């Protein structure tokens, strides 16, 4: 910005100097030449009044001094030099002056003023005053040099003033840019300081107000998720304990499976709450240290959980447990949550048979969840929070699944629109290739 301000100021100064200096230079040149012609004319007039009509009969003529560096002479009607100095034979200005006119023009390399001498209404001679045109030209060049020096000085002053103004304008903007970078790096407490420029101060105040509102919004959202997760954990723990006690004390063959399923549901809900709490507490979402669940076991759990729901809708669920690598382990909690969200999405929005497959990519695993339906609309909007295909939906599921995938160091994407296929790609740990660090490290 500083360079741009200096360039703009220098351009404006150049235009102003050019608009002022060029006409002034032309005016100076015209003034010097006109002044020299006036000087010559005055000298010729002063000599003409001293010429006696008897000079033609031999009466001597006393002419005044010629202009500095010039010549002054008297010529008779035959254009012969009778007194003073000048060319011996008359030239064009003398011939024209014999007609009774005062002549001011250039003759060769001289500036000439020719004044007729009259007596009894007739011209009896001509006084010619001249000076070299080069002398006037040198004076003009000297004046132009002074004018150029003044223009250069004015431009130098303009550059200095522009640089100072550029520093005054750029410093607050640079400070505001540093605060914006600090905010982008996660420092929501950064605030822009006031400056001496009212317009920049207005931008800074707007920035600070926006940042304050954003900080408050984020704080309220994080507090809500933290409070909600904390408050849910206590009743969930109590419900788990009650179900475990009921399962231990009840021998009813019909009731025990129901209690066992309810206990598993509370365990899954507890893990979901923990994952939501972890995401709300960790804006940078660090990757978990290592996997803790075998892929085949994770797929069996998903099949057991979702098989009944799909069957109730008259649909099939196929999980490719046979293709799951036996030496790969993944974080069971977050990966199970993502698969659950994708299967629920397939159950609600898809149709036909739903399938869960696994592809081994050496250092990563790709979980493919597909059905026989098709995805409508723009794929980029699917993972936007609040986007939903139903009027009673919340549009949170796929956005939460994407956030969970990112927290694992992986990604979630739509790999096929028809049939609808979502792919979860995450890094994995092979059995025997990772050792859990000792406690405390």
């Amino acid at each position: 910005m500083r360079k741009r301000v200096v360039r703009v100021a220098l351009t404006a100064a150049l235009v102003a100097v050019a608009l002022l200096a060029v006409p002034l230079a032309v005016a100076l040149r015209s003034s010097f030449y006109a002044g020299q012609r006036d000087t010559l004319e005055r000298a010729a007039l002063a000599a003409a009044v001293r010429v006696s009509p008897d000079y033609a009969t031999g009466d001597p003529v006393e002419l005044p001094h010629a202009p500095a560096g010039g010549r002054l002479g008297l010529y008779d009607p035959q254009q012969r030099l009778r007194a003073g100095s000048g060319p011996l034979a008359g030239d064009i200005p003398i011939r024209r002056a014999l007609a009774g006119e005062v002549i001011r023009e250039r003759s060769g390399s001289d500036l000439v003023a020719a004044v007729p001498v009259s007596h009894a209404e007739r011209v009896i001679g001509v006084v010619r005053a001249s000076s070299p045109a080069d002398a006037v030209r040198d004076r003009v060049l000297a004046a132009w040099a002074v004018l150029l020096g003044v223009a250069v000085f004015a431009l130098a002053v303009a550059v200095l003033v522009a640089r100072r103004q550029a520093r005054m304008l750029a410093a607050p903007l640079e400070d505001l840019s540093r605060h914006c970078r600090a905010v982008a790096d996660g420092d929501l407490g950064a605030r822009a300081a006031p400056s001496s420029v009212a317009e920049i101060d207005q931008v800074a105040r707007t920035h600070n107000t926006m940042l304050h509102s954003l900080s408050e919004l984020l704080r309220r959202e994080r507090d809500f998720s933290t409070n909600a997760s904390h408050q849910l954990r206590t009743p969930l723990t109590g419900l788990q304990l009650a179900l475990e006690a009921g399962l231990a004390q009840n021998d009813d063959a019909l009731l025990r499976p129901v209690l066992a399923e309810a206990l598993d549901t509370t365990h899954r809900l507890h893990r979901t709450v923990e994952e939501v709490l972890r995401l709300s507490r960790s804006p940078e979402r660090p990757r978990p240290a290592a996997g803790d669940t075998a892929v085949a076991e994770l797929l069996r759990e998903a099949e057991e959980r979702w098989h009944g729901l799909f069957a109730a809708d008259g649909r099939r669920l196929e999980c490719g447990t046979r293709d799951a690598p036996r030496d790969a382990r993944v974080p069971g909690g977050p990966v199970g949550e993502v698969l659950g969200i994708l299967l629920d999405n397939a159950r609600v929005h898809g149709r036909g048979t739903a399938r869960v497959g696994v592809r081994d990519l050496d250092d990563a695993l790709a979980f493919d969840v597909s059905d026989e339906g098709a995805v409508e609309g723009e794929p980029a909007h699917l993972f936007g929070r609040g986007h939903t295909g139903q009027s009673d939906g919340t549009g949170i599921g796929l956005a939460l699944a994407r956030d969970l995938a990112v927290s694992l160091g992986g990604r979630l994407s739509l790999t096929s629109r028809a049939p609808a296929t979502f792919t979860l790609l995450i890094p994995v740990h092979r059995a025997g290739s990772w050792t859990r660090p000792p406690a405390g490290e």
Side-chain angles (χ1 to χ4, degrees):
M1 176 181 176
R2 298 189 182 191
K3 292 183 179 179
R4 287 197 294 270
V5 171
V6 173
R7 280 200 301 268
V8 171
L10 185 58
T11 302
L14 281 172
V15 172
V17 168
L19 292 177
L20 178 63
V22 171
L24 183 58
V26 174
L28 284 174
R29 181 181 182 279
S30 300
S31 175
F32 278 116
Y33 277 98
Q36 185 64 20
R37 289 190 179 97
D38 289 342
T39 300
L40 294 175
E41 184 177 349
R42 285 194 299 270
L45 286 172
V49 297
R50 293 189 179 188
V51 176
S52 170
D54 298 330
Y55 84 92
T57 60
D59 191 18
V61 179
E62 294 182 1
L63 298 177
H65 295 291
R71 295 184 293 179
L72 185 65
L74 173 63
Y75 292 81
D76 60 17
Q78 288 75 34
Q79 303 179 26
R80 293 175 299 183
L81 180 64
R82 300 297 297 270
S85 61
L88 297 178
D91 53 7
I92 295 177
I94 292 176
R95 287 195 295 270
R96 293 180 59 189
L98 287 173
E101 298 179 4
V102 176
I103 304 301
R104 294 162 40 126
E105 63 182 27
R106 185 163 181 163
S107 177
S109 61
D110 292 337
L111 295 177
V112 176
V115 176
V117 179
S118 300
H119 179 70
E121 297 184 356
R122 66 185 182 89
V123 178
I124 61 174
V126 174
V127 175
R128 179 183 184 274
S130 65
S131 66
D134 292 344
V136 181
R137 184 195 61 188
D138 293 341
R139 291 167 56 196
V140 170
L141 292 178
W144 283 0
V146 173
L147 181 61
L148 179 60
V150 172
V152 171
F153 177 76
L155 290 176
V157 172
V159 170
L160 293 177
V161 173
R163 293 183 64 179
R164 182 174 180 273
Q165 292 298 321
R167 284 196 300 269
M168 293 178 59
L169 291 174
L173 292 177
E174 291 170 353
D175 182 67
L176 183 60
S177 177
R178 285 193 297 270
H179 281 84
C180 291
R181 285 196 297 268
V183 172
D185 293 337
D187 183 11
L188 297 182
R191 294 293 185 271
S195 66
S196 59
V197 183
E199 292 78 4
I200 298 178
D201 282 347
Q202 183 177 359
V203 175
R205 286 193 297 270
T206 304
H207 168 79
N208 292 339
T209 302
M210 176 194 68
L211 191 57
H212 176 74
S213 302
L214 180 61
S215 300
E216 286 297 312
L217 179 61
L218 291 176
R219 183 187 62 78
R220 288 195 296 268
E221 288 189 354
R222 289 178 180 173
D223 288 348
F224 172 77
S225 60
T226 303
N227 295 337
S229 301
H230 180 272
Q231 293 303 109
L232 283 174
R233 283 191 298 178
T234 300
L236 279 176
T237 301
L239 181 59
Q240 289 173 5
L241 293 176
L243 290 174
E244 290 174 355
L247 191 60
Q249 297 175 7
N250 198 307
D251 295 332
D252 191 337
L254 297 177
L255 186 58
R256 285 183 65 84
V258 176
L259 292 175
E261 183 177 356
L263 183 59
D264 290 340
T265 302
T266 58
H267 283 304
R268 288 193 297 269
L269 183 57
H270 191 276
R271 288 195 298 269
T272 301
V273 171
E274 291 294 334
E275 285 301 319
V276 172
L277 183 60
R278 181 180 68 83
L279 287 177
S280 67
R281 286 178 174 175
S282 178
E284 296 181 359
R285 300 171 185 172
R287 186 185 304 180
D292 56 8
T293 305
V295 176
E297 179 183 352
L298 185 66
L299 293 180
R300 281 195 297 271
E301 291 178 357
E303 186 173 15
E304 292 174 359
R305 177 184 176 186
W306 291 95
H307 175 76
L309 295 174
F310 276 90
D313 295 337
R315 298 171 59 187
R316 294 179 57 192
L317 172 63
E318 298 179 357
C319 293
T321 55
R322 296 181 180 179
D323 300 330
R326 297 183 179 182
D327 60 343
R329 305 184 71 82
V330 295
V335 175
E337 288 298 327
V338 175
L339 293 180
I341 292 173
L342 295 179
L343 286 172
D344 183 62
N345 186 73
R347 184 179 68 85
V348 174
H349 301 287
R351 61 185 180 85
T353 301
R355 296 178 177 83
V356 181
V358 181
R359 289 179 287 129
D360 190 354
L361 305 178
D362 293 333
D363 58 347
L365 288 180
F367 292 84
D368 297 317
V369 179
S370 62
D371 60 73
E372 297 176 1
V375 175
E376 303 292 340
E378 292 294 331
H381 297 162
L382 294 176
F383 300 97
R385 190 171 292 270
H387 176 82
T388 178
Q390 293 185 342
S391 59
D392 57 347
T394 61
I396 296 177
L398 288 178
L400 176 59
R402 180 199 57 189
D403 293 342
L404 288 171
V406 172
S407 73
L408 298 174
R411 67 175 184 269
L412 177 64
S413 59
L414 176 70
T415 53
S416 175
R417 299 184 63 169
T421 304
F422 291 87
T423 300
L424 170 64
L425 185 65
I426 59 170
V428 296
H429 294 277
R430 301 289 176 178
S433 63
W434 175 82
T435 303
R436 184 179 296 276
E441 294 189 4

